[in-house]
Amino acid sequence: MLTLLGVAVVVVGFVARIHPLLVVAAAAIVTSLSAGMSPIQAISALGKAFNDNRYVSLVWLVLPVIGLLERSGLQERARALVARVKTATTGRLLLVYFVIRQLTAALGLTSLGGHAQMVRPLIAPMAEGAAENRYGPLPDRTRWLIRASAAAADNVALFFGEDIFLAIASILLIKGFLEQNGILVEPLQVSIWAIPTAILALLVHGTRLLLLDRRLRRELARVAPATHAAHEDAGEPRG
């Protein structure tokens, strides 16, 4: 149980708004010391993990590319594309992305989606465009709701989909944790039993996404008349 002190360090550090790198490094050292390592062994293990996974920093090379694409009108093209599909709604579009994201994650293709490379430049603007196509200009509150729903769809689909893939780190983490507590399981068993969990996640979150359309229709139906009246008042000549 002492090894869980690292989790407490992460929680306290983030609540106190301390620099994330310092929090993660402190949590790793606390966990290592709690597991019985000496300070030198703890720092050595932290350095080895950083050196073995230094390729992860390559993901930052994607960000400038996405920035250039957005500057060239990527989000506007995504909005225009979804506006051509008359039957598209925000909830339906996010549900389709959810299914695709979960299926690709189940096949081990976890890098095909993500907030930086998919949700922000494409999925969120398309979801907003679907709502604008039906209800006109959106209030800021509604835009943030749609963007949060797009991010949640990516998170939930990835979280419950990746465990189906056998060769994924989370499967090994689950297996190791269960073995520490005297429960012996094979990775294939964990992978198989992740399938009904993923299906249930699809049903639950898919229902939430479809209910999102109903919520937008209810809220924007009240906002639309006031917005329309404001536009008319702004267009009236003063005299």
Side-chain angles (χ1 to χ4, degrees):
M1 292 298 293
L2 290 178
T3 55
L4 296 179
L5 289 176
V7 178
V9 173
V10 171
V11 173
V12 173
F14 285 163
V15 170
R17 299 181 180 275
I18 302 174
H19 195 285
L21 290 179
L22 294 177
V23 174
V24 172
I29 293 175
V30 169
T31 301
S32 301
L33 295 177
S34 301
M37 291 184 177
S38 66
I40 295 179
Q41 289 176 324
I43 296 176
S44 177
L46 182 61
K48 183 177 184 302
F50 177 81
N51 184 68
D52 292 344
N53 295 278
R54 62 186 182 276
Y55 65 88
V56 174
S57 61
L58 293 176
V59 72
W60 296 106
L61 297 177
V62 178
L63 298 182
V65 176
I66 295 175
L68 290 174
L69 290 174
E70 289 188 359
R71 185 176 182 182
S72 299
L74 178 63
Q75 292 189 358
E76 288 74 12
R77 295 301 300 170
R79 293 172 188 267
L81 177 63
V82 76
R84 298 176 185 174
V85 183
K86 300 302 180 183
T87 58
T89 65
T90 300
R92 292 173 187 170
L93 189 146
L94 293 180
L95 179 57
V96 170
Y97 176 70
F98 184 98
V99 173
I100 295 174
R101 179 66 161 144
Q102 193 172 58
L103 289 176
T104 53
L107 296 175
L109 305 175
T110 57
S111 60
L112 287 183
H115 291 184
Q117 62 268 38
M118 186 64 71
V119 174
R120 185 184 187 277
L122 286 177
I123 302 302
M126 291 175 71
E128 292 179 33
E132 290 175 343
N133 192 37
R134 288 178 173 267
Y135 306 109
L138 303 176
D140 289 339
R141 182 176 180 274
T142 303
R143 290 189 183 278
W144 289 116
L145 171 64
I146 293 174
R147 293 173 186 178
S149 300
D154 186 274
N155 282 351
V156 177
L158 175 64
F159 185 85
F160 290 99
E162 66 177 358
D163 288 342
I164 300 176
F165 187 63
L166 185 61
I168 201 75
S170 57
I171 295 290
L172 301 178
L173 177 63
I174 294 171
K175 174 179 170 59
F177 178 79
L178 293 176
E179 286 185 354
Q180 288 179 0
N181 291 272
I183 303 174
L184 300 179
V185 295
E186 294 296 328
L188 182 59
Q189 291 178 294
V190 179
S191 177
I192 291 175
W193 281 103
I195 296 176
T197 307
I199 294 175
L200 184 60
L202 172 60
L203 295 176
V204 172
H205 200 74
T207 302
R208 293 184 63 191
L209 292 175
L210 294 179
L211 290 176
L212 175 64
D213 283 335
R214 182 181 299 181
R215 177 178 176 180
L216 293 177
R217 184 167 56 249
R218 183 176 63 251
E219 292 183 356
L220 295 177
R222 296 196 302 264
V223 174
T227 304
H228 182 68
H231 283 301
E232 287 186 345
D233 290 343
E236 288 180 356
R238 297 178 180 271

